[in-house]
Amino acid sequence: MRFKRFGALIGAGLALSLAVSACGSDKEKTDAKTVVQKAKEDKKLTIGIKFDQPSLGLKKPDGTFAGFDVDVARYIAKQLGVPESGITFKETTSANRESFLGGGQVDLVVATYSITDARKQQITFGGPYYVAHQDTMVQAKNNSIKKAQDLKGKKLCRAAGSNSFRRVTEPPPDGKLNIKGVTLVDANSYSDCVSKLKAGALDAVSTDDLILAGFAAQQPGQFKVINDPFTDEKYGVGIKKGDKETCEAVNAAIQKMYSDGSAKTYLEKNFTGTGLKLVTTVPQMEGCA
């Protein structure tokens, strides 16, 4: 009798082991899917965007989303076979973009995500879908900062997770200007930077011109961009490391977005009237190697 019970226990344990193994195998298969495969099969994608950047990625009071990054994300998703109703937008900050992609919280990130060699070590980039330029924004009444070099001795915002401050204050290769005597003021995000600038807690915010133009347009007469650009910021689409199939599909979607005029429409819709000189020709793709 005891042998029968023992045999039954072994059989049950083996069955449980096989079941767990099968579940694990199914999960591994799901995790191994490329974003292209997931989009084709599920008709759904989770895309990381900023929620607090006017004209780029903004969650409006009614819960809808607007901005150039939002338009680009929807276009790419459509090219991958996902309708607008199948997109879930997830708030993604400068500080968590890599971890969200690596951990599977998002499938793609379209969030003013500059392509850099350091970031390429952690994720794969599609694009760029636009090349912005780092510039500087000050209060409209401020006449002491007319060019980037005037930031010497000033208080500059340092947004969490962003590299923009490094290009002002550090020597090459990270920095572009290597300006000494700049006091860095910490902030949680660029919307926090803008709040601190408005309150007089700092003198300037320096980051991509599209970001600055969006904030300046949101509060007319409060701020101005000094129009002294000093970098090329290649906005890429963040993809989990090694997903070459999705990278190539994203690049094809971006090229089509420019060739059919959609990119021009999105740029003009979101930035006309900001004073920015918009580029409506397709950027040179980085490649997916």
Side-chain angles (χ1 to χ4, degrees):
M1 193 70 172
R2 272 184 279 180
F3 284 116
K4 287 183 179 179
R5 286 178 183 170
F6 184 63
L9 286 171
I10 290 176
L14 181 60
L16 178 61
S17 176
L18 289 170
V20 169
S21 176
C23 289
S25 177
D26 288 344
K27 184 179 187 305
E28 285 170 7
K29 286 179 183 177
T30 300
D31 290 344
K33 284 182 184 177
T34 66
V35 173
V36 167
Q37 291 169 338
K38 178 180 177 181
K40 191 179 296 184
E41 294 174 13
D42 301 341
K43 304 298 181 184
K44 293 180 180 179
L45 285 176
T46 300
I47 303 179
I49 61 168
K50 299 287 183 70
F51 277 21
D52 63 349
Q53 289 186 341
S55 301
L56 283 159
L58 186 69
K59 185 176 183 179
K60 299 193 289 186
D62 63 1
T64 60
F65 300 93
F68 180 59
D69 283 354
V70 176
D71 292 332
V72 171
R74 286 173 175 153
Y75 186 95
I76 290 172
K78 184 178 180 181
Q79 297 306 307
L80 297 183
V82 177
E84 189 172 331
S85 60
I87 301 171
T88 298
F89 285 119
K90 185 175 180 65
E91 183 172 18
T92 308
T93 67
S94 296
N96 65 22
R97 291 176 293 203
E98 288 86 2
S99 63
F100 272 20
L101 284 165
Q105 286 98 322
V106 297
D107 299 303
L108 302 172
V109 170
V110 186
T112 59
Y113 203 0
S114 295
I115 299 171
T116 67
D117 288 338
R119 288 171 177 162
K120 282 181 179 179
Q121 303 306 308
Q122 301 179 65
I123 66 161
T124 292
F125 277 109
Y129 60 90
Y130 193 77
V131 180
H133 307 283
Q134 185 162 337
D135 212 318
T136 306
M137 186 172 76
V138 299
Q139 287 192 11
K141 62 185 179 183
N142 186 332
N143 293 314
S144 66
I145 302 175
K146 296 181 179 180
K147 58 184 186 298
Q149 291 293 338
D150 293 335
L151 290 170
K152 182 176 181 179
K154 304 296 186 182
K155 289 180 286 185
L156 178 70
C157 198
R158 175 168 55 189
S162 174
N163 292 313
S164 294
F165 76 93
R166 300 185 191 281
R167 300 184 184 110
V168 175
T169 62
E170 296 185 5
D174 292 331
K176 298 291 182 183
L177 302 179
N178 197 21
I179 300 174
K180 305 300 182 185
V182 176
T183 300
L184 297 173
V185 178
D186 287 326
N188 295 323
S189 63
Y190 278 108
S191 59
D192 190 21
C193 284
V194 174
S195 295
K196 290 178 185 291
L197 178 62
K198 185 175 182 179
L202 47 86
D203 299 304
V205 179
S206 183
T207 191
D208 309 349
D209 51 9
L210 290 186
I211 297 174
L212 298 177
F215 281 117
Q218 189 183 44
Q219 301 182 58
Q222 183 69 51
F223 307 111
K224 64 183 178 183
V225 180
I226 65 173
N227 285 308
D228 185 27
F230 53 90
T231 68
D232 289 337
E233 302 299 325
K234 300 175 182 179
Y235 285 175
V237 177
I239 306 163
K240 190 171 183 178
K241 183 71 174 173
D243 188 350
K244 185 177 179 182
E245 180 185 16
T246 300
C247 175
E248 290 174 345
V250 165
N251 285 355
I254 291 168
Q255 289 169 327
K256 183 178 179 182
M257 182 177 71
Y258 277 87
S259 65
D260 69 15
S262 296
K264 183 175 186 290
T265 298
Y266 301 153
L267 286 163
E268 290 178 347
K269 179 180 78 171
N270 291 293
F271 295 105
T272 293
T274 64
L276 275 183
K277 184 178 180 181
L278 299 169
V279 179
T280 58
T281 54
V282 62
Q284 177 67 44
M285 298 294 106
E286 287 280 293
C288 298

